[in-house]
Amino acid sequence: MEGTIPARALAVCGVALLLLAAGSTVPASSGSPALSTSPHASRAEPRVLVHSAKARPHHSRTTARWSGSIRVSTRSAVEDAYTRAFDSGLDLETGWTGDDSRCDPGNTSAASRAATLRAVNFVRAMSGLAPVTFSPTLNARSQRTALMMSANGALSHTPPRSWRCWSQAGAANAGRSNLALSYPSIASAGLVELYMRDPGAENGAVGHRRWLLNPFATTMGTGSTNTANAMTVVGPTAAGRPNPAWVSWPTAGYFPTTLEPGGRWSLSAGNKLMDFRRATVRVYRDGRAVRATKLHVRTGYAQPTLVWQLPAGTATSGTFKVVVRGAHLKGSRAGFGRSYVVRLFEPSS
């Protein structure tokens, strides 16, 4: 059906399927043969599905970074925060108490939800954004959404009533959520890493990343089974939240190589009127130019964003200077640019 990804594993390690928006379909075998067509066979590769929402009212006001942001200019500050808030949850199981066969949504452990929230707020604090909270109500809805994805071994923002374990609450929430499947299991902070990495040929918009880094978000929700996650990201917002003029991923300053998104880098603007369609990007590694392929600029995912791809294996170490020029505000000829430096380092944890 439209907006659905069947859960089939890819043969190429490290590649995940992504469907950018409900209404477009990417076959699970695209680009690589499936290891198995059985919906419940062992699968190694994760896949994610992101929701594209109608644009919210324009916000042109920008501010300084959130006062509690991680001090990215200091390696020890970044490494300490990463160890506490992210690395600690990378291998933590969800502790799911439900059952696919009985359509029991169950729940995840309090420790798992706390680890997921810490990971979300870590990437936001690295980016200069204020933290979000998880709502028990949105968590419960997300749990029902995750159950449907897990029970059917597929991802959809519009799951049909014919799906096993279908529920009105879970189906409605699917249209407001990032969705992920990962076999043989999904991890509490690992699912956030997957959303931030946003890999795959169909993910030129890095939509999952943009929703998690929405500066105006105040409240989200999460629900997981052993293999699926639904994270409600289209929810309550507040216009007065810290909204830096620029948010990049990887962030400027010191950045853990473990979170480097496979060369798929991005720069978002705090001003909703920013237009990157004519912008150019140049990247230098340790003073030498490297090829940066600009990807198609797409709207509908939180803030305006420019995305580019570095060659495989390039962004594994070193100091990178990024220079973006030629962005402009819609309806204006005034040009804007951004230049910053990323210092990749290997965390000791």
Side-chain angles (χ1 to χ4, degrees), residues 94 108-115:
T94 63
T108 57
S109 70
S112 174
R113 290 193 300 276

Side-chain angles (χ1 to χ4, degrees), residues 278-295:
R278 296 201 299 269
T280 62
V281 57
R282 295 183 182 276
V283 179
Y284 304 86
R285 179 189 184 190
D286 298 330
R288 295 187 176 184
V290 296
R291 186 174 77 253
T293 303
K294 178 183 173 182
L295 303 186

